[in-house]
Amino acid sequence: MENFTPLSALAGGALMGLGAVVLLGLTGRIAGISGIIAGLLPTGRGEVLWRLAFLVGLVGGAAIYRTLGGPLQAIQFSMSTFMIVLGGLLVGFGAGLGGGCTAGHGVCGVARVSKRSLSAVAVFILTAGLTVFLIRHALWGG
Amino acid sequence: MMARVAAALVSGLLFGLGLAVSQMVNPAKVLGFLDIAGPWDPSLALVLAAAAGVALIGYRAVLSRPKPALAPAFSLAQETGIDAKLVIGAALFGIGWGLAGLDPGPAFASLVFGQSESLFFLGTMGLGLHLARRMN
């Protein structure tokens, strides 16, 4: 567990939780990223400005961190472009069908103790873990 | 109206900062959690626990009020029970998450690191989201 970073994980998670509380308390909205993005697509139902503002903030928050010289200055993609493109398609389709993503179900739904969200989290962590296991240890022999 | 937009901006800033501080913007970090047979990194579980814990307490306080500060009513999903769409959607979402090591929030925040992979992912993610919405 040499890569385990408990303090930054707890601090970062708490900031995200705070962001979700701010959004619900002030605007009455759930901080589900896939839901916020879906509202901006051609099938979305209006209320464009606050959605755009949230996404600008999302990128801006990471930009502030980087500008202030946070420890993480580069990210690593170890997988092929094909896997990234396929992964994006499945993540988008799955979030659209299942009504939420890691933020919507994993943070906001769990915070509401929603049975739907708790089930979704259990299912997507399981299939994600199986996928990584197959890729890293079964198919290509680790 | 502008106050609501400003509130969404602040919320997004907190979320994006949290994703960067916790390193969840880094696919390698996420895959370190998902790969239980490798050198396992439990960080992601603590991120989710801290985020959901803070939101659980904050949501209780917020929802005890009759309405949000800047809007006429709360927009909350109704608890409609567990159906096939939820389970299949979550299962596909997990497979994609495991393939790319990215999910919607981190994918957006990762744009700051200037790698083309983030854009590829966001492009097909938007397409997938759009297709699912059209089916519904």
Side-chain angles (χ1 to χ4, degrees), chain A residues 19 26 28 75 102 115 137, chain B residues 11 29 35 70 75 79 103 115:
Chain A
L26 296 180
I75 56 174
T102 332
K115 284 194 189 110
H137 304 286
Chain B
S11 169
K29 187 78 177 164
D35 185 9
L70 304 172
S75 307
E79 184 78 315
D103 53 300
Q115 301 221 35

Side-chain angles (χ1 to χ4, degrees), chain A residues 1-31 33-35 37-39 41-45 47 49-66 68 71-117 119-121 123-125 127-133 135-137, chain B residues 1-29 31-44 46-60 62-63 67-71 73-106 108-115 117-118 120-122 124-136:
Chain A
M1 294 212 280
E2 64 269 28
N3 298 321
F4 187 33
T5 50
L7 289 181
S8 62
L10 288 171
L15 284 168
M16 290 157 64
L18 197 60
V21 174
V22 165
L23 195 67
L24 188 72
L26 296 180
T27 72
R29 293 289 181 161
I30 290 289
I33 318 291
S34 58
I37 296 169
L41 295 172
T43 38
R45 286 183 285 274
E47 299 226 35
L49 271 184
W50 76 267
R51 293 173 194 274
L52 281 178
F54 182 90
L55 293 177
V56 167
L58 198 60
V59 179
I64 288 170
Y65 167 91
R66 217 175 163 213
L68 294 179
L72 180 72
Q73 289 296 320
I75 56 174
Q76 297 105 37
F77 289 90
S78 55
M79 64 298 293
S80 66
T81 306
F82 172 73
M83 281 195 194
I84 291 180
V85 167
L86 181 63
L89 195 63
L90 288 168
V91 162
F93 189 79
L97 193 65
C101 57
T102 332
H105 279 313
V107 177
C108 303
V110 169
R112 292 180 65 208
V113 204
S114 151
K115 284 194 189 110
R116 273 175 66 80
S117 291
S119 313
V121 173
V123 170
F124 65 58
I125 287 187
T127 58
L130 278 172
T131 303
V132 172
F133 182 81
I135 290 172
R136 290 196 171 176
H137 304 286
Chain B
M1 163 72 169
M2 282 325 286
R4 264 193 285 168
V5 172
L9 180 70
V10 171
S11 169
L13 280 170
L14 287 166
F15 226 92
L17 191 60
L19 285 169
V21 167
S22 63
Q23 300 181 45
M24 293 298 116
V25 284
N26 188 3
K29 187 78 177 164
L31 293 174
F33 169 78
L34 294 174
D35 185 9
I36 48 162
W40 193 51
D41 175 5
S43 304
L44 189 147
L46 285 192
V47 176
L48 275 184
V54 168
L56 184 108
I57 296 164
Y59 273 16
R60 294 230 160 141
V62 160
L63 291 173
K67 64 185 192 67
L70 304 172
F74 291 107
S75 307
L76 296 169
Q78 298 301 312
E79 184 78 315
T80 51
I82 296 151
D83 51 24
K85 269 188 186 174
L86 177 83
V87 175
I88 295 167
L92 294 175
F93 178 91
I95 295 171
W97 193 30
L99 283 176
L102 280 175
D103 53 300
F108 251 95
S110 74
L111 285 172
V112 168
F113 295 87
Q115 301 221 35
E117 284 93 337
S118 304
F120 294 151
F121 181 89
L122 284 170
T124 54
M125 186 188 88
L127 179 67
L129 206 48
H130 181 64
L131 289 175
R133 284 289 170 122
R134 282 192 62 169
M135 278 176 52
N136 281 348

